[in-house]
Amino acid sequence: MLPRLYRVQRARWDTDDTFSLELSPSNGHDIPAFAPGQFNMLYVYGVGEIPISISGDPDRCDLLVHTTRAVGTVSRAMSKLKAGDMLGVRGPFGTAWPVEAIHGKDVVIVAGGIGLAPLRPAMYHIMAQRENYGRVVLLYGARTAGDVLYGKQLQQWRAHFDLDVFVTVDRATDSWRGSVGLVTALIGRAPFDPLNTVALVCGPEMMMRFTTMGLEKRGVSTQNIYVSLERDMKCAIGLCGHCQFGAAFVCKDGPVFPYSQVKVLLTKWEI
Amino acid sequence: MNTLEPLLAKHPFFAELDQPYLELITGCAANMRIKQGEFLFREGGEAKQFFIIREGVVTLEVHVPGAGSVTIQTVEEGDVVGWSWLFPPYRWHFTGRAVTGLRVIALDGKCLREKCEQDHDLGYEFLKRFSHIILDRLQATRLQLLDLYGTH
């Protein structure tokens, strides 16, 4: 699969180390349809290619949005791109959050750090079809107030009467007036019916392990929890084997997995 | 006469506690209101009570020389705060400050300690229940120390 040429329409820093790129196809066509939770392979020409979750609105066919942290060679090079620069895009790839299959359910979205990025398309979808869901709760944890992703959008979502948004940080600064503590601490007080709830979880793997434990403790069935995993994805089509996770390939069988499928694997050192 | 017993009975901390114990604990409980900005307890002070938060938010703070007061955690409605009353020297390790106006149930630690010494079954129940809270906080602290969201 060859990369298609995309032009950067806008580049912005969301936090000190995390940035978003808004892209559109250079040929003026619509972007390929994607489902919330899927990812693309983004290619900085002459540097390399990395998988990045799509973080934009799945209903928008003109703009592809990706958010990532500048930590490696490719993502650092990507962070230097400006409006008008070009990059290659392959995708979309992978499995999606089951947003259609969970109509009628309460939805609890638990995100940690940059894990909010792959969940944002699910939020867009759910908010666009709000009548199809029960209670919707977003629990978000970040390292500090300065690391809170999509802060303005969180404020907008929080203003909705039919959405409960809770944000917590691990470390408080003087100016922070919100919750301090792990995102897992929010699970116990979040307003949802555990017996009729589906949880979508994304963040660092340790955070997801403790979050899923918290959800199960609250009474959410293992079968109703979905997690998004991250591994060293290279080909994105299940051929190279870099992202093998037990019997699955994260690029092809994931990144979104039913928690029941990966629960045992997540605590195995040898995987 | 209205007592705090129905409120305590509904709280998960006291779930499935035998009725005589609940009555006994109610005898050590009192309703309290704390104004926004006031201290529920202060680091180094005598730990005479623990609290069940009925309404409001409390910051747990520690004084760091040169950095002032640092918030390490917030606790809210439904949370149980304070176990320093259980262990000598019965001094608070942190400061609890009301971020908002608070309604709490304060339980007299000294009164409860004496009852626990007299009745070890009650003491065991208390230690089991507080161990859960202490374990949760320990796990959370360990995870915070891991700096999960940092750049690795």
Side-chain angles (χ1 to χ4, degrees), chain A residues 31-205:
Chain A
I31 64 168
F34 71 92
Q38 288 192 298
F39 69 96
N40 279 320
M41 298 298 293
L42 265 57
Y43 186 11
V44 181
Y45 291 109
V47 183
E49 190 185 43
I50 50 172
I52 303 181
S53 299
I54 305 169
S55 58
D57 186 345
D59 285 341
R60 282 195 70 169
C61 52
D62 59 327
L63 209 60
L64 187 62
V65 184
H66 287 278
T67 303
T68 194
R69 185 183 270 162
V71 284
T73 307
V74 182
S75 57
R76 283 202 188 96
M78 204 174 281
S79 73
K80 294 183 176 118
L81 295 176
K82 307 177 297 292
D85 288 342
M86 307 295 276
L87 82 172
V89 176
R90 287 195 296 134
F93 296 114
T95 55
W97 301 110
V99 287
E100 301 290 348
I102 59 175
H103 285 177
K105 300 274 191 186
D106 287 0
V107 183
V108 178
I109 290 176
V110 192
I114 199 170
L116 184 57
L119 280 163
R120 190 166 69 159
M123 279 296 298
Y124 281 128
H125 179 90
I126 289 167
M127 294 311 289
Q129 300 189 17
R130 186 64 190 84
E131 67 280 7
N132 290 332
Y133 302 91
R135 282 184 149 169
V136 179
V137 181
L138 171 62
L139 309 178
Y140 178 54
R143 187 198 209 181
T144 68
D147 295 309
V148 169
L149 200 56
Y150 312 138
K152 281 184 184 166
Q153 189 145 42
L154 287 170
Q155 284 178 4
Q156 287 167 4
W157 281 334
R158 191 176 248 173
H160 284 252
F161 292 122
D162 55 358
L163 175 65
D164 290 295
V165 178
F166 300 89
V167 178
T168 186
V169 297
D170 276 7
R171 296 179 201 166
T173 48
D174 284 348
S175 58
W176 180 253
R177 293 287 172 270
S179 292
V180 181
L182 285 180
V183 69
T184 49
L186 302 175
I187 294 168
R189 63 177 71 109
F192 61 86
D193 172 10
L195 299 178
N196 187 43
T197 288
V198 170
L200 315 179
V201 184
C202 187
E205 215 159 286

Side-chain angles (χ1 to χ4, degrees), chain B residues 101-121:
Chain B
L102 287 181
R103 289 170 68 211
V104 301
I105 297 175
L107 290 113
D108 183 333
K110 190 164 179 242
C111 159
L112 283 170
R113 272 203 315 266
E114 284 169 4
K115 291 186 193 303
C116 289
E117 286 295 346
Q118 288 160 13
D119 184 339
H120 287 184
D121 285 346

Side-chain angles (χ1 to χ4, degrees), chain B residues 14-136:
Chain B
F14 296 106
E16 295 172 31
L17 196 68
D18 290 346
Q19 182 63 25
Y21 285 153
L22 202 56
E23 287 170 13
L24 190 144
I25 290 162
T26 304
C28 298
N31 246 328
M32 275 175 69
R33 282 177 187 270
I34 310 282
K35 288 181 187 158
Q36 182 181 4
E38 287 186 352
F39 295 103
L40 196 55
F41 47 85
R42 294 196 75 163
E43 191 176 351
E46 189 183 356
K48 293 186 279 194
Q49 297 162 304
F50 74 95
F51 305 94
I52 293 170
I53 301 175
R54 294 181 62 192
E55 193 180 298
V57 180
V58 178
T59 53
L60 300 183
E61 303 171 10
V62 64
H63 181 75
V64 179
S69 187
V70 175
T71 299
I72 52 162
Q73 191 184 8
T74 50
V75 284
E76 301 179 22
E77 185 180 327
D79 287 333
V80 177
V81 189
W83 57 72
S84 298
W85 64 276
L86 263 171
F87 310 103
Y90 312 118
R91 297 278 163 191
W92 291 110
H93 295 99
F94 301 106
T95 293
R97 192 201 304 255
V99 179
T100 62
L102 287 181
R103 289 170 68 211
V104 301
I105 297 175
L107 290 113
D108 183 333
K110 190 164 179 242
C111 159
L112 283 170
R113 272 203 315 266
E114 284 169 4
K115 291 186 193 303
C116 289
E117 286 295 346
Q118 288 160 13
D119 184 339
H120 287 184
D121 285 346
L122 173 65
Y124 182 56
E125 277 299 328
F126 254 95
L127 278 179
K128 274 199 296 185
R129 288 157 199 260
F130 267 101
S131 297
H132 273 292
I133 293 172
I134 294 169
L135 180 67
D136 282 348

Side-chain angles (χ1 to χ4, degrees), chain A residues 219-233:
Chain A
V220 179
S221 158
T222 308
Q223 278 70 32
N224 287 335
I225 302 174
Y226 293 81
V227 295
S228 179
L229 297 183
E230 194 178 354
R231 286 293 183 275
D232 186 20
M233 295 184 271

Side-chain angles (χ1 to χ4, degrees), chain A residues 239-259:
Chain A
L239 292 178
C240 74
H242 278 91
C243 65
Q244 187 167 3
F245 185 62
F249 293 106
V250 173
C251 69
K252 180 172 68 74
D253 305 310
V256 175
F257 288 93
Y259 178 54

